[in-house]
Amino acid sequence: MDLSYILNHLGEERDQYFDAVSPPIIQTSNFYFKDVESLRNAFPNERDIHVYTRGNNPTVEILRKKIAALAGAEDALVFSSGVAAISAAVMANVHAGDHVVCVKKPYGWTDKLLNKFLSRYGVTATMIDGTKIENFIAAIQPSTRVIFLESPNSFTFDLQDIKAVVKLAKEKNIVTIIDNSYCTSLGQRCIDMGIDIEVHSATKYFGGHSDVVAGYLMGSKKMVAKIFASELLNIGGIISPNDAWLLIRSLRTLPIRLERIQASTATVVKFIEQHPQVERVIFPFSDSFPQHALAKEQMLWCGGLFTVIIKATDVAHVETFCNSLKRFLMAVSWGGHESLIMPACSFMNRDDLDLADYPYNMIRFYIGLEDPKVLIEDIEQAFQKIR
Ligand SMILES: Cc1ncc(COP(=O)(O)O)c(C=O)c1O
């Protein structure tokens, strides 16, 4: 199925809603049945029939079809946040006494899910440096049920060799889950590489406008049916039809937004890499990136995130640089239209991070949809303030 068809037509039964080009927002909690037999037959089939919007809603269903096809997966679910999707994926595949192997420095709330939340229910986790396959081999225990990957992560961009991990997991009958938010399903074909469950913060590139918080989960029909019947219906972290509609609208422009961001980021990275006030740039497609070859092998694009270590004598120096930027908003998250910075020196009061991984002169940049020339001029004037 071609991408243009998926984004513009798949799942859109226009003759059912007045031939409108844009689908309706079916803002209902409930669906009625004309007779007892139809209701009786609907109950065992809630994933496919419209009974109640916590399970299935027609607007959300359009989105589910599109994102499953986009990832090359059999089915998909949409959640009210990326964290809800991540939690559902992991919780569906562990019981008390089970063990999870997860890469170090994943998204913060993934770390807390495994090490603070699920540990209360008898699930243990080993956090490993996922850049080496030997570390996975060493960490697997007889009780390991899940390997959780995040390749690349969203600050230092450490990668895992996805195909090698999948091979190992399949030999040991372990479920593989990957947080693919950094690349999106277009930029890294995780399901094709054999991953069991792909999860996303759809808040990032999929939403793309910094106005929706949402999560996606894609996998086999069997896996999705299992998660639907338990974690989705029971914990109920569902998306509203209105937010699902916004995400359908965002999908139409996903490839062109990604192309623009990719081109602008390459331009800005090139400028920063040669800047005399820069110590180092961390960006998977840069020649200097330690896992550059692997990045080129398994990633089709690199996105708008990169991290810069600037030359600075103290924290005040870094703060002056960051506070001087006018075209970059200082904020968490990424993937929207607006360029952002996230300085590591803002983490100093946090007790949930190992600050050794985040030196004070490290700044994460995200390049949005603005003109890269404007962004480069802004960075240059901020560097001049600390010269
Ligand atoms: C890599 C990654 N995964 C997951 C999440 C969580 O997504 P959400 O904020 O949509 O719950 C984030 C959010 O920042 C993230 O950066």
Side-chain angles (χ1 to χ4, degrees), residues 81-83 86 107 150 154 179 181 201 203-204 213-214 334:
S81 69
V83 162
I86 291 167
Y107 176 61
E150 187 181 311
S154 60
D179 181 334
S181 304
S201 169
T203 316
K204 309 296 187 271
V213 176
W334 40 277

Side-chain angles (χ1 to χ4, degrees), residues 17 35 39 42 78 96 110 139 154 177 198 202 230 294 312 315 343 381 383:
Y17 37 84
D35 50 49
L39 180 57
V78 183
T110 303
S154 60
I177 305 174
E198 178 174 330
S230 178
L294 180 61
V315 175
Q381 67 78 26
F383 271 131

Side-chain angles (χ1 to χ4, degrees), residues 48-63:
D48 300 314
I49 294 177
H50 304 123
V51 177
Y52 188 57
T53 281
R54 176 151 44 79
N56 199 4
N57 172 282
T59 310
V60 180
E61 209 172 13
I62 296 172
L63 180 59

Side-chain angles (χ1 to χ4, degrees), residues 129-279:
D129 169 0
T131 60
K132 296 188 184 70
I133 192 72
E134 308 87 88
N135 296 342
F136 287 93
I137 297 169
I140 289 172
Q141 302 176 5
S143 59
T144 304
R145 298 286 168 266
V146 168
I147 295 181
F148 194 100
L149 308 179
E150 187 181 311
S151 187
N153 73 25
S154 60
F155 217 99
T156 51
F157 317 120
D158 308 346
L159 309 185
Q160 298 96 58
D161 183 336
I162 297 172
K163 284 187 192 153
V165 175
V166 164
K167 185 167 176 287
L168 176 67
K170 287 207 188 300
E171 282 162 16
K172 310 236 175 227
N173 214 12
I174 297 170
V175 171
T176 47
I177 305 174
I178 190 164
D179 181 334
N180 198 20
S181 304
Y182 177 101
C183 284
T184 79
S185 312
L186 291 183
Q188 187 160 255
R189 307 296 297 160
C190 297
I191 299 286
D192 294 348
M193 285 190 260
I195 287 284
D196 295 308
I197 310 177
E198 178 174 330
V199 287
H200 291 272
S201 169
T203 316
K204 309 296 187 271
Y205 295 115
F206 279 106
H209 295 74
S210 304
D211 52 11
V212 181
V213 176
Y216 295 159
L217 174 161
M218 297 90 158
S220 67
K221 267 202 183 312
K222 194 171 160 207
M223 179 63 82
V224 169
K226 174 167 107 164
I227 298 171
F228 175 89
S230 178
E231 282 67 29
L232 186 94
L233 281 176
N234 224 327
I235 300 175
I238 58 147
I239 191 103
S240 74
N242 189 68
D243 279 349
W245 186 90
L246 283 168
L247 291 163
I248 293 168
R249 190 180 63 165
S250 291
L251 273 182
R252 319 277 194 207
T253 57
L254 179 69
I256 58 165
R257 285 187 284 111
L258 297 189
E259 274 167 32
R260 163 85 179 181
I261 290 167
Q262 187 170 23
S264 301
T265 305
T267 308
V268 179
V269 165
K270 202 167 156 210
F271 164 77
I272 295 198
E273 274 182 330
Q274 54 70 47
H275 200 282
Q277 285 167 277
V278 167
E279 205 172 287

Side-chain angles (χ1 to χ4, degrees), residues 272-303:
I272 295 198
E273 274 182 330
Q274 54 70 47
H275 200 282
Q277 285 167 277
V278 167
E279 205 172 287
R280 192 156 68 91
V281 175
I282 309 173
F283 182 62
F285 278 7
S286 285
D287 291 341
S288 61
F289 187 71
Q291 295 176 288
H292 178 253
L294 180 61
K296 284 286 185 181
E297 189 189 311
Q298 67 186 21
M299 292 161 59
L300 301 169
W301 95 307
C302 219

Side-chain angles (χ1 to χ4, degrees), residues 7-14 17 21 23 62 66 248 252:
L7 301 182
N8 295 293
H9 305 297
L10 179 68
E12 302 189 57
E13 315 281 343
R14 295 187 169 109
Y17 37 84
V21 169
I62 296 172
K66 286 185 189 293
I248 293 168
R252 319 277 194 207

